Amino acid sequence: FEDGSVSLINIVMTPKGIHPSFCNYLLKSTAFVEENYRIGHGIVADLWTTRYDEMKNIKVAIPTPSEQTAIANFLDDKTTKIDRAIAQKEQLIALLKERKQIIIQNAVTKGLDPKVKMKDSGVEWIGEIPEHWEVVKFKFLIRTKARLGWKGLKADEYFEHSPFGFLSTPNIKNDEIAFEDAYYITEFRYEESPEIMLEEGDVLLVKDGSTLGISNLVTSLPFKCTVNSSIAVLRIMNKKRLLPSYLNLFLKSETCQSLIEKKKDGMGVPHLFQRDINNFSVPVFDTYEQHKIVQFIKVKSIKIDQAITLQKNQIEKLKEYKASLIDSAVTGKI
């Protein structure tokens, strides 16, 4: 062990006359947590505080020392097994996500025919591609635009609802764009930057912050919408040469993500410059084949996503069981 300290949001307590492990489980029980929260104070849940002089007056039921030891040993055994099962399911989820990434990578860079003749793409980070494909820089196919700033946008300019909205990075991190969680703004703010008024078929790429490199496709627009300064809008100029759905998947590939990782700049907040995006290259070939690749990935992804959802649901059930087990044991119900 080494000497250390904790931040001000923590309370350090030394068990006295109580089994340390039993005490740990007791403090995790639903009854204690709810009571601890009830006597606390704050503005919102994330900023809630319970001081020790308030906490120390909470009454708890304490069994005999031998019972404390028995309960602690029982819970140590059961929770270890539950945690092991959760870890195994989390590992399976990681493997499923890795499998999905491999499917995307192979399909968007090599196509669907394993027997197709390959050639050097001429771009080091892309490597070999099917012989009938070509590689073209983004700037010859795609118009890349991003907001330079909000020009003094204030919090009181947000609305609970309006015909105009804007997306931030949390809105685009999942499989579907979360328009329902978008912020709403005035028409004036929406029209402030005409070049990034979203259209169906736009591909959104996060160019700033911890989620840099995440992309998503605008498949529909429930209302007129724009984006904040962390998101670049990629609009294909000729969709007879490049499909937005294929471009979105190519951006998600390991090939493109590795390049983004190399190109990102910024001492504090990671940043991707528009000039770098414009100089990215993308394989271009018949759009019918692009469509087949997109559909292939979609079918495979649905199956993998269903398997991931199943594992996540089982993890939640295990966590609920663990919490229920602790509650029942420390309150003497078992």
Side-chain angles (χ1 to χ4, degrees), residues 107-108 111-112 133 217 239-247 249 283 285-299:
V108 300
L112 303 179
W133 292 14
L217 173 65
K239 293 176 183 175
K240 292 182 178 179
R241 293 199 69 195
L242 181 63
L243 296 180
S245 51
Y246 173 81
L247 173 63
L249 289 170
F285 47 95
D286 185 77
T287 52
Y288 175 72
E289 187 179 354
Q290 292 180 36
H291 178 71
K292 285 179 64 178
I293 289 173
V294 171
Q295 290 304 113
F296 171 81
I297 293 173
K298 182 178 180 180
V299 171

Side-chain angles (χ1 to χ4, degrees), residues 36-131:
N36 187 54
Y37 183 85
R38 187 188 67 80
I39 64 174
H41 49 86
I43 302 173
V44 294
D46 291 343
L47 299 175
W48 207 257
T49 299
T50 302
R51 298 189 302 270
Y52 179 69
D53 61 346
E54 298 166 327
M55 182 194 300
K56 70 181 182 180
N57 292 318
I58 297 175
K59 293 183 178 181
V60 292
I62 305 295
T64 63
S66 62
E67 287 179 296
Q68 292 179 36
T69 301
I71 291 171
N73 292 341
F74 169 79
L75 288 176
D76 284 345
D77 176 63
K78 294 296 184 181
T79 58
T80 297
K81 290 175 180 176
I82 294 171
D83 290 342
R84 188 181 301 127
I86 290 173
Q88 290 171 344
K89 292 185 179 297
E90 289 174 338
Q91 184 179 18
L92 180 55
I93 289 174
L95 291 172
L96 286 165
K97 288 180 178 179
E98 184 180 341
R99 174 61 180 161
K100 181 177 178 179
Q101 189 62 38
I102 290 171
I103 289 171
I104 293 173
Q105 170 67 20
N106 289 339
V108 300
T109 59
K110 296 180 174 60
L112 303 179
D113 183 1
K115 297 180 181 178
V116 70
K117 191 173 181 181
M118 306 292 284
K119 70 175 182 182
D120 185 359
S121 67
V123 179
E124 182 181 357
W125 59 274
I126 292 180
E128 288 193 335
I129 57 174
E131 191 175 44

